[in-house]
Amino acid sequence: MEIVKKPLTDFIQQIFPIADNVVNLIVADFKKVTFTKNDFLLKEGQVCNDFLFLESGFLRAFTFDTDGNEVTTNFYRQNSMVFDVSSYFKRIPTQENIQALTDCGCWKINYDTFQNLFHTIPEFREFGRTNLVNGFIALKERTLSMINSTAEQRYEHLINTRPDIFQNVPLKYIASYLGITDTSLSRIRKEIMQK
């Protein structure tokens, strides 16, 4: 294994333990790519062709509401898999944008390479399944929190579980992700600091 790919190897083995010789076969197909702040990795209307491992940096996914306002749908941080699941697997245009919030270092494989690994290496298939299940659980929890948690509770959960976001992401994107206005976020932050 190339030492440079160790973060990718460690991530895969953390999600689903795989023998070193097998994980080395998997990571051999990943290629290094970098993005600078504000670069788009994916734009609305494109088909997602890359399965990315984010080794360093921060990304955000966003779309537009019916009034044309940006709505942040997800943040990706170091040691995350990044891709639009629907677009990637159904081969349809994405409805989201994925943009670098900082300079980013990634490892990527394209759709055809992913499919080859998926169908020829059972351990990679199990890694993929486990990763998708984890993503589905996170999405379900986020959806439910938007329905049955207050804005304050969502803010406190985010700051307790992902404090690094507050050090790397502009507050306007955090407010959008929480489903509140910038003004409401400022009020919530002030109230919590006064407690």
Side-chain angles (χ1 to χ4, degrees):
M1 171 192 55
E2 297 173 49
I3 194 68
V4 73
K5 291 185 181 178
K6 187 165 179 5
L8 174 58
T9 301
D10 290 347
F11 175 78
I12 291 171
Q13 290 182 318
Q14 179 184 358
I15 298 292
F16 187 81
I18 299 174
D20 288 345
N21 63 322
V22 177
V23 82
N24 289 341
L25 285 174
I26 295 167
V27 302
D29 287 316
F30 281 79
K31 308 294 183 224
K32 182 74 172 182
V33 290
T34 58
F35 301 95
T36 57
K37 183 177 179 178
N38 297 322
D39 281 351
F40 280 86
L41 286 70
L42 185 65
K43 288 188 176 182
E44 183 178 355
Q46 295 176 332
V47 174
C48 181
N49 286 312
D50 293 322
F51 181 85
L52 294 163
F53 168 72
L54 179 60
E55 183 175 6
S56 63
F58 274 82
L59 304 165
R60 78 173 177 124
F62 69 95
T63 190
F64 295 92
D65 66 16
T66 55
D67 294 324
N69 301 306
E70 287 185 7
V71 178
T72 300
T73 55
N74 203 357
F75 294 113
Y76 300 96
R77 59 183 172 178
Q78 181 178 334
N79 294 326
S80 297
M81 283 299 183
V82 181
F83 66 115
D84 179 323
V85 176
S86 297
S87 178
Y88 193 76
F89 288 114
K90 295 173 85 176
R91 312 308 299 147
I92 59 173
T94 183
Q95 295 181 30
E96 290 183 295
N97 302 279
I98 300 177
Q99 185 179 30
L101 295 175
T102 64
D103 292 347
C104 297
C106 301
W107 295 93
K108 75 172 184 173
I109 54 174
N110 65 29
Y111 178 78
D112 292 333
T113 304
F114 179 95
Q115 289 298 315
N116 183 54
L117 290 173
F118 193 82
H119 292 292
T120 60
I121 302 177
E123 295 90 341
F124 185 72
R125 191 165 43 250
E126 284 304 307
F127 159 77
R129 184 188 63 77
T130 302
N131 200 41
L132 285 174
V133 167
N134 291 341
F136 176 75
I137 290 168
L139 177 62
K140 184 74 168 179
E141 289 172 351
R142 174 164 155 66
T143 302
L144 289 173
S145 77
M146 295 298 284
I147 296 167
N148 60 24
S149 297
T150 65
E152 291 82 2
Q153 291 169 327
R154 290 193 302 272
Y155 171 82
E156 287 179 339
H157 177 74
L158 188 63
I159 202 161
N160 289 331
T161 59
R162 300 174 75 181
D164 51 337
I165 287 175
F166 291 85
Q167 297 156 3
N168 293 281
V169 175
L171 290 176
K172 66 181 180 178
Y173 298 150
I174 294 171
S176 171
Y177 179 74
L178 293 171
I180 58 178
T181 64
D182 298 6
T183 306
S184 294
L185 179 58
S186 295
R187 178 187 53 77
I188 290 168
R189 288 168 55 89
K190 184 177 178 183
E191 288 172 0
I192 288 175
M193 284 190 274
Q194 290 174 346
K195 287 182 182 178

